[in-house]
Every structure is written in C-alpha cells, then in structure tokens.
C-alpha cells in the first residue's frame, strides 16, 4: 500500500491532470443534433506533491483547457468525448427524467465516462516513472430549469485504476473518489449557453491487490473551475 500511494502522486501529475468537469446540462439534445463546448479555467491538486525541504504536502495550481463534442443518437441518449492537456475522455448521457419544457421543472440524467492516460516521465525524486491511469466516472445530473437556463447539480463517484513503477517501486491499485459539480448553464441564444462550473473530487479509499485502506497519507483533493461556452441545442 505504501508503494501505491508513493507512486500515485507522480503518475497523476504526469497525466496533465484528470478532468472532473461536466460542461453540460442534465437535458439531452434532440436526436441527430450535435453539441460542442470549449472550457477554460484552472485546477488545484491539493496535497499531491511533497516539498523536499520541509517534507510537507504542497498544493499545485495549474491551467485547464478542454474541447468537447456530443451527438444525440436518440432523444434520450448522447455519446461524445473531450480532450484537454495530455488527456482524453469518452462520455455519454442518458435521460432519466425530462421536464415537458426547459422553461421550468426538473431534468435528471446519468452521464458515465471513461478516460485513459499512458504515462512516462520523472517523479519528484528524479526517478523515471512509467505506467497508466484509467478514470471511470458515474455522475448523476440534476437540472433545475429556470426560464431556459439551468442550474446543474452533479454528485458523482469515480474510480482510478493505476499501474506503474518508479525506481525500485512498482504497483497496481485503485483510488476511489466522491465529489460532484455545480454549474449554471445561462441561455444566451437558441444554440448558445455560457456555463460557469466548479467541480471537486476527494479520495476516500484505496486498494492494492487484496489490501484496502481508508487511511490515505495524502490529501489528494482535486478542485476544478471552468467557464464553458456551449454551442448547440
């Protein structure tokens, strides 16, 4: 387990930061329509890097930029993906509850996603670190419609499958996350929305082989804030 948590921070940083953003509403677009988004902002990885002088965990703040696309295969299902610095994701959205109108009422959607990062680089100790990360996400989106705009609340559970090595240490394991997102999709036209959003993910458990622990020796919380421009119905 100590090997797992020692290698994970280096691998996560080398991945160019995972993305926990939603950048969308809880209402699927009509069948055959395509939606695009651009998101700019920043991310904090809290307690992922150890200061060599003090031995204390440090918080890193990094820029974030992403591009995404989604296509509706039916009136209640979308498939798509997004890319950002050194990362990519395949995602989907399935309508569970749909308000008769977007002028009011509640929309609910399930939005599972998966992303993969092959890794190679150098950790804080100057050792070569190689491996990979697979993030899986299961958010449930609750959209509260207000005159064509929507307040989007998205609690989620996520999992990171990790394998890698650094120096003489090698590991495989998982990190389990809980968190969510809060955004407000402001309608600025028939096919354009402005979407400020903040997301947070906190690691609450880890496993390595058959061993599991709730006592993580790093904070590891990830906080992401973005301003999104969403184009499409």
């Amino acid at each position: 387990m100590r090997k797992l948590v020692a290698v994970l921070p280096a691998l996560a940083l080398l991945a160019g930061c995972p993305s926990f953003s939603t950048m969308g509403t809880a209402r699927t677009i009509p069948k055959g329509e395509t939606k695009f988004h651009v998101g700019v902002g920043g991310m904090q990885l809290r307690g992922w890097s150890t200061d060599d002088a003090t031995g204390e965990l440090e918080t890193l703040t990094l820029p974030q930029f992403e591009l995404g696309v989604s296509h509706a295969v039916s009136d209640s299902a979308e498939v798509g993906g997004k890319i950002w610095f050194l990362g990519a994701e395949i995602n989907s959205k399935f309508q569970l509850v749909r308000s008769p109108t977007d002028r009011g009422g509640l929309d609910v959607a399930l939005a599972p996603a998966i992303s993969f990062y092959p890794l190679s680089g150098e950790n804080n100790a100057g050792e070569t670190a190689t491996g990979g990360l697979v993030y899986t996400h299961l958010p449930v989106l609750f959209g509260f419609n207000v005159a064509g705009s929507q307040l989007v609340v998205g609690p989620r559970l996520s999992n990171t499958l990790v394998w890698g090595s650094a120096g003489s240490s090698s590991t495989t394991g998982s990190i389990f996350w809980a968190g969510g997102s809060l955004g407000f999709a402001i309608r600025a036209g028939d096919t354009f929305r402005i979407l400020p959003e903040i997301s947070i993910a906190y690691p609450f458990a880890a496993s390595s082989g058959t061993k599991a622990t709730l006592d993580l020796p790093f904070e590891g919380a990830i906080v992401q804030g973005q301003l999104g421009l969403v184009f499409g119905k």
Side-chain angles (χ1 to χ4, degrees):
M1 181 58 63
R2 290 294 169 178
K3 290 183 178 180
L4 170 68
V5 297
V7 174
L8 266 176
L11 293 180
L13 291 173
L14 292 171
C17 302
S19 176
F20 288 88
S21 70
T22 300
M23 285 288 107
T25 69
R27 191 176 185 89
T28 54
I29 56 179
K31 180 181 179 179
E33 295 288 339
T34 301
K35 179 178 62 180
F36 302 89
H37 81 261
V38 178
V40 293
M43 172 177 285
Q44 279 194 340
L45 287 84
R46 305 182 64 84
W48 278 97
S49 178
T50 302
D51 186 293
D52 293 335
T54 65
E56 296 180 354
L57 294 171
E58 296 180 307
T59 294
L60 302 180
T61 301
L62 302 168
Q64 189 81 354
F65 174 80
E66 66 180 50
L67 298 171
V69 62
S70 183
H71 181 76
V73 297
S74 73
D75 287 334
S76 60
E78 299 177 15
V79 294
K82 64 181 181 180
I83 57 174
W84 61 95
F85 297 137
L86 301 181
E89 176 183 281
I90 298 173
N91 51 44
S92 58
K93 185 185 297 182
F94 302 95
Q95 195 79 70
L96 303 180
V97 176
R98 189 178 185 90
S99 173
T101 174
D102 64 1
R103 310 301 293 180
L106 173 68
D107 294 324
V108 182
L110 189 66
I114 185 169
S115 54
F116 171 70
Y117 311 81
L119 305 174
S120 179
E122 189 174 280
N123 67 8
N124 290 341
E127 299 170 325
T128 298
T130 59
L133 298 170
V134 174
Y135 280 84
T136 55
H137 306 287
L138 188 62
V140 180
L141 306 179
F142 297 87
F144 301 89
N145 295 297
V146 183
S149 299
Q150 190 178 92
L151 176 68
V152 188
V153 181
R156 74 168 61 201
L157 292 174
S158 300
N159 174 251
T160 307
L161 298 177
V162 57
W163 62 96
S165 62
S168 60
S169 297
S170 62
T171 188
T172 58
S174 295
I175 295 289
F176 303 94
W177 309 76
S181 60
L182 178 66
F184 191 68
I186 304 167
R187 181 182 288 276
D190 290 340
T191 59
F192 178 57
R193 288 180 174 83
I194 300 171
L195 176 54
E197 181 185 81
I198 186 168
S199 307
I200 186 169
Y202 192 86
F204 64 89
S207 67
S208 179
T210 59
K211 297 180 180 180
T213 182
L214 299 176
D215 182 22
L216 301 180
F218 56 90
E219 295 176 10
I222 295 176
V223 181
Q224 182 177 359
Q226 289 199 113
L227 178 64
L229 304 178
V230 184
F231 304 88
K233 293 183 179 181

